[in-house]
């Protein structure tokens, strides 16, 4: 019955249809806020809190690891005034060395590798926490500013003895450290160079 010419003209679209839906706009705002928050979190963690990613420092052959320096004689060595390098071998189910002794304030670069399977290396109360893979040397640096004991442990399940895989960093006052070093040197004097 309706005559085609009687149809109402196309309505002009009201303003809101030409804009972004307010609901969608809000979600866009939320996304931007989240991106800014994440960027801020990464910046704070990396620069202010000192979070670091363990770098794969180098490659080693796990089959000959224990016959190769410095892994043959793992331990901690002073490389400059207040700067130390610690070499740690993880193997089922222990760490070598079992103890790392440094004076307070020591800046320690820790190199860890495994001679058998995958292990973890975490030092409690520090930001040192890395995966230890056979064939790869992982490296992180930490400054021990407080006297005390910082146990380190394996954080990757590696079998029956996993729970027994731990050691510790002992941070001594400069006086205690000097006394301990003197004792060790006195004991070693007969065997090696002074
Ligand atoms: Cu080694 Cu768990």
């Amino acid at each position: 019955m309706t005559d085609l010419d009687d149809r109402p003209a196309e309505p002009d679209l009201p303003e809101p249809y030409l804009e972004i839906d307010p609901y969608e706009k809000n979600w866009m705002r939320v996304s931007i806020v989240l991106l800014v928050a994440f960027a801020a979190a990464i910046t704070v963690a990396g620069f202010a809190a000192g979070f670091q990613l363990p770098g794969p420092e180098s490659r080693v052959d796990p089959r000959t690891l224990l016959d190769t320096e410095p892994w043959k004689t793992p331990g901690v060595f002073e490389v400059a005034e207040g700067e130390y390098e610690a070499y740690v071998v993880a193997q089922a189910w222990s760490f070598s060395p079992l103890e790392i002794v440094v004076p307070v304030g020591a800046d320690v670069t820790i190199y860890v590798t495994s001679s058998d399977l995958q292990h973890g290396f975490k030092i409690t109360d520090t930001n040192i926490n890395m995966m230890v893979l056979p064939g790869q040397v992982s490296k992180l640096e930490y400054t021990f500013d407080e006297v005390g004991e910082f146990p380190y442990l394996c954080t990757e399940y590696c079998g029956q003895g996993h729970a027994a895989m731990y050691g510790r960093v002992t941070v001594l006052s400069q006086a205690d450290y000097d006394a301990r070093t003197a004792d060790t040197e006195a004991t070693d004097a007969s065997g090696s160079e002074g």
Side-chain angles (χ1 to χ4, degrees), residues 90-95 116-120 153-159 161-165:
Q91 55 196 316
W93 292 285
S94 66
F95 287 110
D116 45 36
L117 7 124
Q118 179 175 324
H119 298 281
L153 47 118
C154 179
T155 49
E156 297 280 335
Y157 182 72
C158 54
H162 164 71
M165 235 183 122

Side-chain angles (χ1 to χ4, degrees), residues 26-102:
N26 277 338
W27 279 111
M28 287 167 77
R29 288 197 186 102
V30 169
S31 313
I32 291 168
V33 168
L34 281 178
L35 282 178
V36 171
F38 291 152
I42 291 171
T43 310
V44 169
F47 294 99
F51 278 54
Q52 320 165 62
L53 278 180
E57 173 64 12
S58 58
R59 306 235 150 238
V60 284
D61 185 344
R63 288 166 298 187
T64 56
L65 185 77
L66 299 175
D67 299 320
T68 321
E69 289 293 353
W71 309 104
K72 209 166 138 183
T73 51
V76 61
F77 308 95
E78 185 169 14
V79 289
E81 183 75 44
E83 278 178 41
Y84 294 78
E85 280 181 0
Y87 293 88
V88 179
V89 174
Q91 55 196 316
W93 292 285
S94 66
F95 287 110
S96 287
L98 285 172
E99 189 185 21
I100 294 172
V101 183
V102 289

